Amino acid sequence: REKLSLPTEFTNLERIENTLAAMATYINVYPDDSTHTASLQVLLAWFGREQQRTEISLKALDRLKAPTTWEEARAHSRIAEGCLFAPIDDEQLSKQAIAAARLSVTHGYGNDIQKKYFQHSLAIAEYRSGNYAKADELLTAVVEFDPDGERMGSSAMLFRSMARHHLGRHDEAKADLKTIADRFKEFATLSRDELPSGDDYNTIHIALVYQEAKALLNERAGSVAEKE
């Protein structure tokens, strides 16, 4: 299979369209490639292509079968996370993705490193389901395993920030958000017309979750300021 690369920046709309079209074509040719499918889910979310993200995500979920191997379970986990890491409005997609994340853990985790990937995906599903205490428990395990991680640990810390916000643990929520803001200083001024530095999809994933978490916590801060 030809390796797809992601440009570090897009200078015009044509390059964005060409990249998205090339990746969509690749997924049609290799529909079982959950890694590239999840990468396309991330990129579509970043550029606000929600209808296309929903269509691709539903097709990917429909292809999944009950996992009998670790690799199949990981595909469930990866596709589910690609659906749930950013908010989605489609109720059917949300239910199927949450079910896929929960089904992925029924086969077993594998080794300790593999376990954290499953826990991370399951934690996001629990968060999107409104199970904030369970999400916090799973996310804390991931953060403790990978405290300085530029992908899994950072993503887990941001989701934990949002979960703790909903649990009323606002100081802890702000502390987690600040840790990521300090780790990725460019996020403060990053717009959706550009990409984070680097050449992978992981930083885009984190940037999207960071923007969601920041908006959620700032919403409360504004509400508190108004009351004062």
Side-chain angles (χ1 to χ4, degrees):
R1 299 182 184 184
E2 180 183 357
K3 185 179 185 297
L4 294 179
S5 61
L6 176 68
T8 56
E9 63 178 336
F10 291 116
T11 57
N12 55 56
L13 183 61
E14 182 179 1
R15 287 192 65 189
I16 296 170
E17 297 295 349
N18 288 345
T19 298
L20 295 178
M23 293 185 69
T25 298
Y26 181 96
I27 297 305
N28 286 332
V29 175
Y30 303 107
D32 295 327
D33 189 331
S34 61
T35 299
H36 279 107
T37 299
S39 297
L40 179 56
Q41 288 171 303
V42 168
L43 198 55
L44 290 170
W46 181 257
F47 289 112
R49 310 300 174 86
E50 288 306 311
Q51 181 176 350
Q52 188 179 1
R53 183 167 79 102
T54 297
E55 292 172 355
I56 287 174
S57 297
L58 285 171
K59 288 180 180 179
L61 288 167
D62 287 342
R63 284 193 295 268
L64 296 175
K65 299 177 181 179
T68 58
T69 66
W70 180 87
E71 290 80 7
E72 291 173 348
R74 184 69 181 107
H76 278 68
S77 173
R78 190 178 288 118
I79 295 299
E81 186 173 322
C83 298
L84 298 169
F85 81 98
I88 47 179
D89 296 326
D90 189 284
E91 185 176 355
Q92 178 189 356
L93 175 58
S94 178
K95 288 181 178 179
Q96 284 188 238
I98 290 169
R102 290 176 174 160
L103 185 61
S104 70
V105 304
T106 61
H107 184 72
Y109 291 120
N111 61 38
D112 287 344
I113 295 177
Q114 294 163 348
K115 178 179 180 180
K116 300 308 174 188
Y117 283 107
F118 285 103
Q119 285 185 320
H120 182 253
S121 301
L122 180 60
I124 296 174
E126 297 297 351
Y127 175 79
R128 296 298 183 199
S129 300
N131 300 326
Y132 301 123
K134 182 61 176 177
D136 176 67
E137 176 187 340
L138 291 167
L139 292 163
T140 296
V142 176
V143 170
E144 290 176 350
F145 181 82
D146 187 29
D148 301 317
E150 291 191 1
R151 192 275 191 191
M152 187 167 60
S154 295
S155 173
M157 190 171 290
L158 287 167
F159 273 103
R160 188 175 70 173
S161 173
M162 293 190 286
R164 289 180 171 180
H165 167 86
H166 287 294
L167 292 169
R169 297 163 62 178
H170 300 298
D171 289 343
E172 293 170 289
K174 289 188 290 186
D176 278 347
L177 183 63
K178 184 178 185 304
T179 295
I180 303 305
D182 291 341
R183 185 176 296 171
F184 298 91
K185 296 186 185 300
E186 67 173 313
F187 287 0
T189 58
L190 192 64
S191 75
R192 294 291 183 90
D193 295 326
E194 56 186 332
L195 286 174
S197 59
D199 60 355
D200 60 44
Y201 300 89
N202 295 333
T203 308
I204 305 174
H205 169 121
I206 298 166
L208 276 162
V209 183
Y210 172 82
Q211 291 181 351
E212 181 184 357
K214 182 180 179 181
L216 180 65
L217 271 62
N218 282 349
E219 181 180 335
R220 177 183 180 275
S223 177
V224 171
E226 288 179 6
K227 291 179 180 179
E228 294 176 348

